[in-house]
Amino acid sequence: MVSTLVPCLVLCSDGRHFPLVEGLSAGRGPDNGLLLEEPSVSTHHAVFHKVGERWLVKDLNSTNGTKLNGARVQGTAPLSEGDSLKFGSVELRVEGLAVLQPGPAVAFPPPFPVPALPVPVRPPALPFPSELPPPLPSQIAAPPPLPAHRQSPKKSKSHAGLWIALGACVLLLFSGAWFLRDRLMPGKGTRDFLAFRENAGKDPREAFAGVQAPGKLAELNQVLWPTVEPEAGWTYFFRTCLVTGGPRIGKRQAVLFYHPWSDTALVTEWEGQKRLKDIEMIPGEALRKGGATPYGGALGWTRLQAYAPPAVGMVTAQTLKAFEKAFATHTALDKALPWLGKAQAREACRVACSLQYAQVVKSLAAFSATYDQPARMAFIRLLAEGDAAIAKAPETPQESAKALKDLPRKAWPGFQPTAFVDTGVKVLVMAHHKESPDLFLGVVFRRDGEALVPERMDLLSFNACYGALK
């Protein structure tokens, strides 16, 4: 249900509306934006934060607690359209989020491999091309059409059998993509860590409390999150990161949680699934270059003189390949990444990651600063069109157009903005899909006076990019 176009809280007792704004605090004290003069409400009861397109509520250790749909909130919890919130005995309803929330879960098949990507080219000076030049047709292809219904593993295998019947060449390509699905989506080697990623995306404090983690996590929090609270930072990171693992050696395994949009890599060493032996955050650039300075501070994909979506895919593929190479025979971070042995190297990595992550947060803050921000509204309207949006973006590549037409309509709202670039001439919005962080959508708008006109849409896959690099 959508009773308002503006995200807000509705007081159930009298119907009053309170617009949701970043940092809105609720409580009995007069300094709260949401003043609730009720004895069961604490002076400072809760606070609201926005991470990407998601609203979060955080309980401030209130006496009577914060309840979301009847369940007590421990730390931070995400909000959805129609949710019931209770601060003490005061009940409120969440409205106006429906236009931003994803639809029902959608299953995605393993993407089909694509032709090899070009070698990265360093730009002369600009961090990002101002005109957003289109890629060559052979640079990248879109993933295959998405099915309307979730398929079981058995059906996926029979689907692979159909491809095998087409010929040995197709068999080799498809088997590569299927292997990739096990590595990135992930499969046997990292399937156990999907639960950790999912839990950390909902409540990072609880997820880390559920494993034996080293004290280094507290050190990371102090450096990594200068612009957002650690819980909000980790929530966004884990909701939009990819997962891949090195081989198990004895009881131990190295697992990489890679965030392609900020080009940051959380490298971890596990003993089983409950004991986290070591953890470190490093820039993707440092992993790709084996620790060679400089450690970063800039997003790797903005360094390429290429159209951004393929550039993101290319850098991601190179990072995952570098991880595989480094951890092929070791699980211990200090052995696989000997350059991390020096304290100054780790500190430099953490600072660089903090800078890179801050850039992404800043772009998303600009994208969502106000509800009627032009780029945000243009993106929401375009997704609301479903496959009719393709005709409004005439430069959409044929491969992407075909894949987008086959998208179930309920899948379209699942694309949530992850990166935003405004060159002044054109605007680029890149979004990941909530049900599959492997899948992402790039949309280019050109400026026509005060209006933003859709120009092209690209539906891409990290799996396909990685398959091309392999």
Side-chain angles (χ1 to χ4, degrees):
M1 75 181 176
V2 183
S3 59
T4 175
L5 292 179
V6 180
C8 66
L9 300 170
V10 180
L11 193 60
C12 294
S13 60
D14 58 16
R16 281 187 294 162
H17 286 57
F18 300 89
L20 273 173
V21 295
E22 169 60 31
L24 175 68
S25 61
R28 199 174 67 250
D31 57 335
N32 289 285
L34 176 54
L35 179 59
L36 302 172
E37 296 176 319
E38 161 64 39
S40 63
V41 177
S42 296
T43 304
H44 297 98
H45 201 104
V47 65
F48 296 88
H49 291 294
K50 190 171 187 185
V51 179
E53 288 296 329
R54 301 289 290 181
W55 281 99
L56 308 174
V57 60
K58 179 178 181 180
D59 183 75
L60 300 177
N61 297 318
S62 59
T63 302
N64 295 313
T66 297
K67 290 187 177 181
L68 178 61
N69 298 323
R72 184 154 183 164
V73 173
Q74 302 294 333
T76 303
L79 299 176
S80 299
E81 176 70 14
D83 277 351
S84 170
L85 269 176
K86 287 193 74 173
F87 301 139
S89 62
V90 178
E91 185 173 1
L92 302 102
R93 185 174 64 255
V94 180
E95 290 191 1
L97 302 187
V99 291
L100 302 178
Q101 297 302 317
V106 182
F108 298 101
F112 200 75
V114 295
L117 295 169
V119 177
V121 179
R122 297 284 181 182
L126 295 177
F128 195 82
S130 59
E131 289 295 328
L132 298 177
L136 296 175
S138 62
Q139 274 189 325
I140 192 131
L146 303 178
H149 302 289
R150 187 177 297 275
Q151 294 183 346
S152 66
K154 291 185 179 179
K155 290 183 180 179
S156 296
K157 290 181 179 178
S158 63
H159 181 65
L162 294 176
W163 283 107
I164 294 174
L166 294 178
C169 180
V170 176
L171 168 63
L172 291 175
L173 290 175
F174 188 81
S175 61
W178 190 259
F179 165 78
L180 219 53
R181 178 178 182 268
D182 284 344
R183 298 307 302 271
L184 291 180
M185 288 312 298
K188 305 175 195 174
T190 50
R191 189 176 293 130
D192 294 331
F193 299 100
L194 265 178
F196 177 80
R197 182 184 71 171
E198 183 178 352
N199 292 337
K202 295 177 180 177
D203 190 337
R205 177 182 294 180
E206 182 177 340
F208 278 111
V211 300
Q212 297 179 42
K216 193 180 298 179
L217 181 63
E219 299 175 12
L220 288 177
N221 286 342
Q222 291 179 0
V223 181
L224 289 178
W225 315 116
T227 58
V228 297
E229 291 189 10
E231 285 184 29
W234 287 122
T235 295
Y236 174 68
F237 178 89
F238 282 107
R239 281 184 178 174
T240 52
C241 75
L242 304 177
V243 183
T244 189
R248 291 186 186 276
I249 301 177
K251 295 182 178 180
R252 297 189 179 184
Q253 182 179 14
V255 178
L256 174 72
F257 300 90
Y258 177 67
H259 192 254
W261 312 104
S262 61
D263 190 22
T264 56
L266 183 67
V267 189
T268 60
E269 180 190 352
W270 295 76
E271 187 175 297
Q273 284 79 51
K274 292 295 184 181
R275 190 174 184 185
L276 187 55
K277 296 286 294 182
D278 200 0
I279 181 172
E280 191 57 68
M281 181 75 87
I282 62 177
E285 188 84 348
L287 188 56
R288 294 187 293 271
K289 290 187 174 182
T293 56
Y295 288 108
L299 309 181
W301 52 270
T302 65
R303 298 169 182 260
L304 305 184
Q305 197 170 20
Y307 176 56
V312 174
M314 185 191 311
V315 167
T316 298
Q318 292 171 340
T319 306
L320 300 180
K321 185 177 180 181
F323 170 81
E324 285 187 348
K325 182 178 179 181
F327 287 89
T329 57
H330 296 287
T331 59
L333 271 59
D334 57 348
K335 291 183 178 180
L337 308 174
W339 46 272
L340 267 181
K342 297 181 179 179
Q344 58 266 36
R346 292 204 173 204
E347 187 67 17
C349 283
R350 295 172 183 177
V351 171
C353 287
S354 175
L355 293 173
Q356 290 172 207
Y357 198 90
Q359 291 180 60
V360 177
V361 172
K362 183 177 180 181
S363 76
L364 289 175
F367 182 80
S368 305
T370 58
Y371 184 76
D372 60 351
Q373 206 271 4
R376 174 179 174 172
M377 296 308 299
F379 182 77
I380 292 174
R381 291 192 192 102
L382 192 66
L383 290 191
E385 295 279 348
D387 57 8
I390 304 168
K392 296 187 176 183
E395 295 186 21
T396 298
Q398 183 177 356
E399 297 87 352
S400 289
K402 185 178 185 303
L404 287 165
K405 284 179 181 177
D406 290 323
L407 265 179
R409 189 173 184 86
K410 63 183 180 181
W412 283 79
F415 287 103
Q416 301 178 334
T418 317
F420 168 60
V421 179
D422 187 349
T423 68
V425 178
K426 297 187 180 183
V427 170
L428 169 66
V429 180
M430 287 187 285
H432 74 286
H433 199 280
K434 182 176 182 292
E435 297 300 324
S436 174
D438 168 69
L439 198 68
F440 67 105
L441 175 70
V443 181
V444 176
F445 297 92
R446 62 177 172 82
R447 293 193 181 278
D448 185 5
E450 297 296 322
L452 289 175
V453 181
E455 191 170 85
R456 70 176 288 162
M457 304 171 71
D458 292 85
L459 186 61
L460 303 168
S461 161
F462 290 115
N463 263 342
C465 297
Y466 185 73
L469 191 66
K470 294 285 283 190

